[in-house]
Amino acid sequence: MSLKKDKFSKKDKYFMNIAINLAKNNLGYTGSNPSVGCVVVKNNKIISYGVTNHFGRPHAEVIALSKLRKNINDTTVYLSLEPCTHYGKTPPCTSALIKARVKKVIYSSEDFDFRTHNKSKKILKNKKIKVISGLLVNKSKKIYKNYNYTRKKHFPYITAKIACSKNFKILKYKGQITNNHSKQVTHLIRSNNQAILTTHKTVNSDNPKLNCRIEGLLKFSPFKIILDKDLKIKLNSHILQNGNKTIIFHSSNNKQKIYKLSVLGVKTLSIKNLKNGSLDLKEIFRKLYNLGFTSILIESGPKLLKSMLKEKMINNFYLFQSNKYIYDRNSKPIKNIINILNINFKNKKNFLIDLCLME
C-alpha cells in the first residue's frame, strides 16, 4: 500500500472534472484542433470558464479570460490539455495566461503537438506562474485518444461504416436496408468528422448528398473526398453542387474534365498509382493530414473497406446490421469484411467496433 500523499486536493479534482466535461461538450466539432475545457477559479469559486470554439477558434483559455475585465490576479486556471505555446492562426495561449497575470495553471494531459509538447511549463514558470500537470490524466486521455493518435502518427484518425442485412449482405444496386434510427446515427457520425471519403462508383450509383441532416448540425457537414482514378464522376452529382467543399484524387490527364470540375469549385489532386494500378491510399491520407484533415469517415462499398482493413488503416468501425434477411440475387455478401473485423478487433489495440442493430 502506497502512503504517497496526493498533491491534488478534492477541490482541484472537482474543478478539473468540470474542465474535462467542458472539453467533452465540443468533442468532434473543433476541426483539427483539440477540444479543451478551461475553468478559472478565485477564492475557491469559479469566476469564468470556456471551451474551444467550433472549428477550433478561439481557444478555451482566450474565451474564458476574455470574460474577465478585473479580478484576474491570484486566480488558478484548470485546463484539460496543456496550453499551446506556438504561433499559428492565433497567438499562443501561454501568452494570454501570462498577460492575464494568473497565479497558477493546472492542466491534465500533455499536448502531443510537437510545437507545444512539454514546453508550456518552462514558459509559464519563467514568468513566475506556478504550473502543475497530470490531474485526472487517465480521464482526460480518453477524450484525447483520437487527437493523440493523429499527432503521434501524422495521419488522420479513420472511421468506417457499412450496413448489412441479418445474413451479412448489402444491396448491389439502388435500395436501402437502413432505418430512421441508423440514419440519424450516421448523420451524427458525419458531424463528428471533418471529411467523408468515398469512391466515384458510390457517387455515380447512389448519388448521395453525404451531408449532416440533423437540425442544428448542418454547419458541421463534412468535406467530401472522392477517389476517382479516371475522373468518371458524373458532373450532375449532388455532392458536386457544393463543389467548394469537395476534393477529388485522380491520376487522369483529362484536362477538359478537370476544367469542368474546377468551374464547379472542386479541387482536383493528381496522385501516382501503385503497381497494381490503384491509387496510393496511404499517400492520399498523408496529403489529407497535411491539408488539416485529422478525422475522416469512410462511406463506400466493401471493396475499399476490405482493402483498408487489411492494411490496418481503420481505427474505428461501425457495422449497422439489420434483423431482416436479403435474398436479392443482386446483393453482395460481406462476410469477408466481418472476418477481417473480428481479426482486427482481437489483435489491434487501437481498433474499435460498434455494432449498431437496426429493427
Side-chain angles (χ1 to χ4, degrees):
M1 180 177 176
S2 175
L3 297 177
K4 187 178 179 180
K5 188 177 179 180
D6 191 343
K7 62 182 175 181
F8 299 112
S9 68
K10 287 185 178 179
K11 286 184 178 178
D12 284 331
K13 293 175 182 177
Y14 171 77
F15 294 129
M16 183 59 77
N17 203 46
I18 293 174
I20 291 172
N21 286 333
L22 282 169
K24 282 183 182 179
N25 288 342
N26 275 2
L27 201 61
Y29 299 112
T30 56
S32 59
N33 286 343
S35 179
V36 178
C38 175
V39 175
V40 184
V41 175
K42 184 173 183 178
N43 298 327
N44 292 321
K45 291 183 179 180
I46 296 175
I47 59 173
S48 187
Y49 65 90
V51 61
T52 307
N53 203 22
H54 293 159
F55 307 110
R57 296 177 190 84
H59 292 186
E61 299 92 322
V62 174
I63 292 173
L65 294 173
S66 67
K67 296 176 183 178
L68 299 170
R69 295 182 179 178
K70 56 182 180 179
N71 296 330
I72 296 180
N73 291 340
D74 297 325
T75 56
T76 298
V77 177
Y78 294 83
L79 294 166
S80 58
L81 189 70
E82 179 181 4
C84 66
T85 63
H86 59 277
Y87 280 86
K89 292 184 178 180
T90 57
C93 290
T94 48
S95 295
L97 293 165
I98 292 166
K99 186 177 180 180
R101 297 181 181 179
V102 302
K103 183 178 181 180
K104 185 192 295 186
V105 172
I106 301 177
Y107 65 84
S108 183
S109 287
E110 298 172 358
D111 188 344
F112 281 97
D113 188 321
F114 73 94
R115 297 169 296 180
T116 286
H117 186 57
N118 276 333
K119 294 176 182 176
S120 63
K121 278 187 181 179
K122 184 178 180 181
I123 292 170
L124 294 173
K125 283 181 178 180
N126 283 340
K127 297 296 181 179
K128 310 301 181 185
I129 296 174
K130 188 175 181 180
V131 186
I132 309 174
S133 63
L135 176 54
L136 300 183
V137 65
N138 290 333
K139 186 171 184 179
S140 62
K141 273 184 177 179
K142 291 179 182 178
I143 66 174
Y144 294 119
K145 177 177 67 68
N146 298 12
Y147 172 75
N148 289 341
Y149 174 86
T150 63
R151 287 299 185 261
K152 288 178 181 180
K153 302 289 186 181
H154 302 286
F155 202 80
Y157 189 90
I158 300 174
T159 300
K161 61 170 284 290
I162 198 167
C164 67
S165 66
K166 186 73 173 178
N167 53 336
F168 302 110
K169 287 191 174 185
I170 61 173
L171 293 174
K172 186 175 181 181
Y173 300 110
K174 288 185 178 180
Q176 290 188 345
I177 54 175
T178 53
N179 62 11
N180 287 331
H181 171 70
S182 61
K183 286 177 183 176
Q184 290 297 302
V185 173
T186 293
H187 289 307
L188 188 60
I189 296 170
R190 287 176 180 176
S191 74
N192 275 273
N193 284 273
Q194 292 172 275
I196 293 180
L197 185 143
T198 190
T199 66
H200 79 278
K201 290 182 180 179
T202 297
V203 174
N204 288 349
S205 63
D206 298 343
N207 197 20
K209 293 181 179 178
L210 298 182
N211 58 1
C212 176
R213 296 191 287 278
I214 295 177
E215 187 175 353
L217 295 181
L218 182 62
K219 64 181 179 180
F220 296 110
S221 291
F223 270 74
K224 286 82 175 175
I225 313 296
I226 304 164
L227 305 183
D228 187 5
K229 187 176 68 170
D230 300 312
L231 292 180
K232 293 182 178 179
I233 190 169
K234 296 176 181 176
L235 293 174
N236 61 349
S237 302
H238 282 312
I239 61 175
L240 297 187
Q241 304 314 305
N242 187 16
N244 63 329
K245 291 192 70 173
T246 304
I247 300 173
I248 296 179
F249 283 94
H250 69 96
S251 58
S252 171
N253 292 319
N254 189 339
K255 294 182 180 180
Q256 186 178 12
K257 188 70 173 281
I258 292 172
Y259 172 75
K260 288 180 179 179
L261 288 167
S262 70
V263 171
L264 293 171
V266 177
K267 185 174 184 177
T268 54
L269 295 176
S270 179
I271 193 160
K272 291 181 180 179
N273 292 335
L274 295 173
K275 289 181 179 179
N276 62 7
S278 61
L279 294 173
D280 187 338
L281 290 175
K282 288 186 178 179
E283 181 62 21
I284 286 171
F285 285 113
R286 281 191 286 265
K287 283 184 177 292
L288 288 171
Y289 178 83
N290 291 332
L291 288 171
F293 294 101
T294 57
S295 58
I296 297 174
L297 173 64
I298 311 299
E299 289 197 32
S300 69
K303 185 177 179 181
L304 176 62
L305 292 180
K306 181 182 176 183
S307 174
M308 291 185 65
L309 284 165
K310 280 191 171 181
E311 291 294 323
K312 297 183 179 180
M313 297 170 68
I314 294 176
N315 303 95
N316 192 17
F317 198 104
Y318 290 88
L319 174 65
F320 292 83
Q321 186 181 18
S322 173
N323 63 356
K324 297 177 181 177
Y325 290 83
I326 291 180
Y327 299 105
D328 189 333
R329 292 180 180 179
N330 293 323
S331 62
K332 281 184 176 181
I334 60 163
K335 285 188 178 180
N336 51 5
I337 284 184
I338 306 302
N339 292 335
I340 296 170
L341 280 173
N342 288 334
I343 293 169
N344 276 278
F345 185 51
K346 290 176 182 176
N347 299 325
K348 189 176 179 186
K349 276 187 177 180
N350 288 335
F351 194 84
L352 300 174
I353 177 170
D354 290 296
L355 181 62
C356 303
L357 298 177
M358 300 180 290
E359 296 180 358

